[in-house]
Amino acid sequence: MTLALGCIADDYTGASDLANTLTRAGLRTVQTIGVPADDLALPEVDAVVVSLKSRSIEAGLAVSRSRAADQWLRGRGAGHVLFKICSTFDSTDAGNIGPVMDALRADGGEGAVLVTPAFPETGRTVYQGNLFVGAVPLNESPLKDHPLNPMHDSNLVRVLARQSRTQIGLVDLATVTRGADAVRARLAELAGKGIGAAIIDAVFDRDLETIGLVAAEHRLSVGASGIGLGLARALVSTGKVKSAGANGETGIAVGGPAACLAGSCSQATLQQIANAERVMPVLHLDPDRIITGGGEAQRALDWARPRLAEGPVLIASSATPDQVAALQARHGRDAAGHAIEQTMADIAESLVKSGVRRLIVAGGETSGAVVDRLKIPGFLVGVEIAAGVPVLHAVGAQADMLLALKSGNFGGAEFFSDALRLMR
Ligand code: ADP
């Protein structure tokens, strides 16, 4: 199998967002958790997104992990690799965007790398090299106070130059508006001057398409899901990828019992649980007993096992803000959160051992704990249940199973039923 596109994402949620964007644009896409093993058996796909957690780690480590991911992707024929960063360019003068870009550029022998975090549909635009978040420049946005990567300069040419060993140029909007040939000429001019990377302006979706066309002719680019969208559209429009249609994989059915786990205490999830009570049995866990080791996981399994043959079940630790605050006051926030996440992971592991093959998890951290425990190396991204929440088909896992992993606030009031309808 030859990949049309390889992606290295510097965090998990960014990777999911990109994988979902590529799928909606018609690319069959697998998202992996970390750099996969060499023997991971991939289905026939167009793109792989390797999810790393390298945004805020030491730059040397980010470089070595990204290079390992790059090698894995190139080894599967990826002619182009996108280094996926945050659309708000989260980084510091120590990195990690510049050092990773420099290393991948050196490995791939790239001339001038196109760089843009623009993603107009989410309000990220770049003009004259300056990143805007909605209506304000980056350095006036809430990112100026980010705890790990405070962004005090909206001029990305300067920001990237401070992190990179190469000089940084600019491809401005006027050039992008003139089309792909004008961008190619400008890039050649910059490369001729020894400039190794260029911030490229983008304000509208059509700018991303122009950028994608040119970037796809190169070996490396750097940006957010916006340039991913541009690359995907370019690969489809030039016939390098035969579009799978905007729905991703819809036909897959694994059968087997279904279960839902909710660890999110968000307003949306609480409403979704209340609505699910009308259509499936729901067990509310006792969070105090979880933390004090009262055998809640076993109680949940004893409750679930006889019911699974009849239809889906839902097990929830979720509670109202008052109850959460009281529990945290008694046990400490981190200790409470961690204990509940691990119990959810225990329950998920035992449910899968009991034959569950369709698993829906509500809560970002909760999902992370469950996926880690199930040791799932990757997912083929399928049809969207709700905006940003696709059906996932496990790849290289011990059991053939479908999952849906939902951030607390995502999805409509009938989310659990909506998911089950699409996960057959
Ligand atoms: P979200 O996506 O809504 O942020 P997460 O799963 O990321 O959901 O975070 C929810 C956190 O709350 C987790 O750490 C989870 O273990 C914890 N939690 C779940 N139930 C309770 C509860 N009843 N009381 C306190 N904390 C809880």
Side-chain angles (χ1 to χ4, degrees):
M1 182 201 48
T2 300
L3 292 179
L5 179 64
C7 304
I8 304 167
D10 69 353
D11 88 334
Y12 285 6
T13 44
S16 308
D17 179 48
L18 174 62
N20 198 37
T21 300
L22 297 178
T23 304
R24 280 191 296 146
L27 269 53
R28 295 165 300 173
T29 305
V30 159
Q31 176 187 358
T32 71
I33 311 298
V35 182
D38 278 332
D39 61 358
L40 175 69
L42 276 181
E44 194 62 34
V45 289
D46 306 305
V48 169
V49 180
V50 175
S51 331
L52 300 180
K53 267 188 190 161
S54 58
R55 184 171 297 167
S56 308
I57 62 175
E58 192 265 317
L61 263 182
V63 166
S64 59
R65 288 181 191 162
S66 305
R67 290 182 73 191
D70 189 64
Q71 265 180 16
W72 191 94
L73 292 163
R74 303 275 186 205
R76 272 143 198 86
H80 186 91
V81 168
L82 165 64
F83 172 40
K84 157 72 172 72
I85 57 166
C86 185
S87 66
T88 46
F89 218 77
D90 293 19
S91 55
T92 69
D93 288 353
N96 291 335
I97 298 173
V100 171
M101 178 187 78
D102 288 350
L104 299 183
R105 174 172 172 256
D107 288 351
E110 180 64 84
V113 183
L114 284 176
V115 181
T116 186
F119 197 10
E121 76 180 46
T122 58
R124 310 310 193 242
T125 57
V126 179
Y127 181 64
Q128 296 296 348
N130 291 276
L131 174 58
F132 289 80
V133 178
V136 296
L138 178 65
N139 64 331
E140 292 174 26
S141 77
L143 272 297
K144 71 183 192 311
D145 302 316
H146 190 281
L148 299 177
N149 313 294
M151 302 303 291
H152 295 302
D153 188 355
S154 58
N155 184 313
L156 300 183
V157 176
R158 285 194 305 248
V159 172
L160 188 56
R162 288 195 291 267
Q163 305 177 19
S164 169
R165 284 193 305 269
T166 182
Q167 271 182 282
I168 310 298
L170 172 70
V171 182
D172 67 7
L173 190 65
T175 306
V176 176
T177 304
R178 287 205 300 280
D181 279 341
V183 174
R184 289 185 188 106
R186 173 68 177 152
L187 263 192
E189 180 195 339
L190 293 172
K193 290 184 187 155
I195 292 174
I199 301 294
I200 183 160
D201 285 350
V203 173
F204 301 106
D205 261 13
R206 64 169 182 268
D207 302 329
L208 296 174
E209 289 176 11
T210 305
I211 294 168
L213 269 178
V214 180
E217 297 159 4
H218 287 251
R219 289 183 54 76
L220 174 68
S221 57
V222 177
S225 292
I227 193 169
L229 181 66
L231 280 161
R233 288 192 181 157
L235 291 169
V236 171
S237 72
T238 56
K240 287 185 188 141
V241 165
K242 203 174 148 307
S243 172
N247 281 330
E249 187 193 57
T250 51
I252 189 73
V254 300
C260 311
L261 295 175
S264 165
C265 301
S266 73
Q267 197 90 49
T269 300
L270 294 176
Q271 182 64 54
Q272 288 157 356
I273 296 169
N275 288 21
E277 307 242 19
R278 294 202 296 265
V279 289
M280 68 183 86
V282 176
L283 176 71
H284 292 275
L285 297 169
D286 178 339
D288 271 305
R289 286 186 53 180
I290 289 178
I291 296 162
T292 55
E296 276 297 90
Q298 191 56 49
R299 183 171 80 92
L301 288 168
D302 293 343
W303 174 87
R305 276 200 192 107
R307 289 174 171 81
L308 286 170
E310 310 294 317
V313 300
L314 189 155
I315 299 170
S317 69
S318 316
T320 61
D322 287 353
Q323 292 166 324
V324 170
L327 190 88
Q328 290 176 338
R330 285 196 293 280
H331 303 285
R333 191 183 59 185
D334 291 348
H338 181 75
I340 295 171
E341 285 162 28
Q342 289 310 308
T343 296
M344 289 307 222
D346 292 341
I347 295 171
E349 191 178 16
S350 303
L351 286 173
V352 172
K353 278 195 189 125
S354 306
V356 165
R357 292 294 176 265
R358 296 176 289 147
L359 188 63
I360 300 164
V361 188
E365 295 298 326
T366 310
S367 295
V370 167
V371 168
D372 281 353
R373 181 67 66 82
L374 296 179
K375 296 195 176 62
I376 298 176
F379 303 105
L380 181 62
V381 181
V383 65
E384 264 186 324
I385 301 159
V389 193
V391 175
L392 301 172
H393 187 186
V395 167
Q398 281 164 3
D400 186 27
M401 62 183 298
L402 297 178
L403 292 99
L405 307 172
K406 180 188 90 79
S407 248
N409 273 319
F410 283 31
E414 306 295 339
F415 176 79
F416 291 109
S417 306
D418 294 344
L420 287 163
R421 203 171 314 114
L422 293 169
M423 296 166 68
R424 286 165 293 133

